[in-house]
Amino acid sequence: MISDLLTTAVLIGILHSGIRLATPYLLAALGEAVSQRSGVLDLGVDGIMLMGAFAAFFTVFQTGNLWLGVGAALVVGALMGLLMAVISVTFQAEQGISGIGLYLFGLGLSSLLFRVLIGSVVGVSGFEEIKIPVLSSIPVVGDIFFNHNILVYLAYLMVPAIWFLFDKTTLGLKVRAVGQNPEAADSLGVSVNRVRYFGVIFGAALAGVAGASLSIGTLNVFQENMTNGLGFIAVALVYFGGWRPVGVLLGSLLFATVNSLQLWVQVKGIPIPSDLAVMLPYLLTIIVLIFATNQIKQPAALDKPFERSG
């Protein structure tokens, strides 16, 4: 019955899970926002996340050190970003096709490495939940917001960090300028390619950590194609959020909460077809994007290669 979802315990569970499930979306989408604000559309996010997830899991599987796992995911993500930057910025290949190629590369390589180096699905001990002193004791609110693992907290701290980068730093100003009018930025002495390299590599590094948040922060296993298209949703969330960190946060929370709701619908055995329940978050994303695209304006130089005149 629908009323089974309206109890206090279930509502707290839905919101708590939504906060946690938003973590990989938020990290990947924030990174993609930096890349796109510099003018590079990286559709390889899902493949980067898969490689980051595998790197983190394999490192923890071998060493037992969770932070080494996060570091491995970050480095692998950055290297994937470097590859994307070389292809799309230096060689000026079509960015959409380059991104899809990078996605397929990450999907195939992560599956191959998994089969060769691990072979079967095994678990590791991931990050445990940390109760924030005092705050976690607040009725209802404490259970929802202040009882998560460290990667969840770090993901949400990245929102003000990226906002500060965009709006309060010289580097952020250069990123925005290059994504909006690279010719004008170049005339003022800004290295367009260097800034774009930064944007793509930084974004991919965050996508790698987003993958780690799945394999050693949430599921504590690695499976082939475990992201299941999550990276493409992250790209959509950048558009939903209007390339702004707070907008990306709201989109991530909305999508993850609806995803949490459909999981609880299945757990409670509510008579809604399971396929329809699984579709709910994706249907919501499509509907929201239909209305949001009329209200937002993408960076003018997004997906456009830059060549210095003269």
Side-chain angles (χ1 to χ4, degrees), residues 174 177-178 181-193 306-310:
K174 290 179 179 179
V178 165
N181 192 332
E183 291 79 12
D186 179 68
S187 69
L188 294 174
V190 175
S191 174
V192 174
N193 284 358
F306 170 72
E307 291 187 17
R308 298 190 70 180
S309 58

Side-chain angles (χ1 to χ4, degrees), residues 285-304:
T285 301
I286 293 171
I287 292 170
V288 169
L289 283 175
I290 289 173
F291 291 99
T293 51
N294 294 324
Q295 307 297 324
I296 57 178
K297 187 176 181 181
Q298 70 179 34
L302 180 62
D303 196 25
K304 296 179 180 177

Side-chain angles (χ1 to χ4, degrees), residues 95-143:
Q95 293 176 12
I97 295 174
S98 301
I100 295 299
L102 190 67
Y103 156 65
L104 294 173
F105 173 73
L107 173 63
L109 184 57
S110 62
S111 296
L112 175 63
L113 292 174
F114 171 70
R115 294 174 188 175
V116 172
L117 299 178
I118 300 178
S120 61
V121 177
V122 294
V124 296
S125 297
F127 286 99
E128 297 181 355
E129 293 182 343
I130 299 173
K131 292 187 176 182
I132 304 297
V134 182
L135 295 176
S136 61
S137 300
I138 301 174
V140 181
V141 174
D143 289 332

Side-chain angles (χ1 to χ4, degrees), residues 37-38 174-182 185 190 192 195-196 301:
R37 289 293 287 269
S38 73
K174 290 179 179 179
V175 168
R176 291 187 286 121
V178 165
Q180 195 65 30
N181 192 332
V190 175
V192 174
V195 171
R196 288 187 168 177

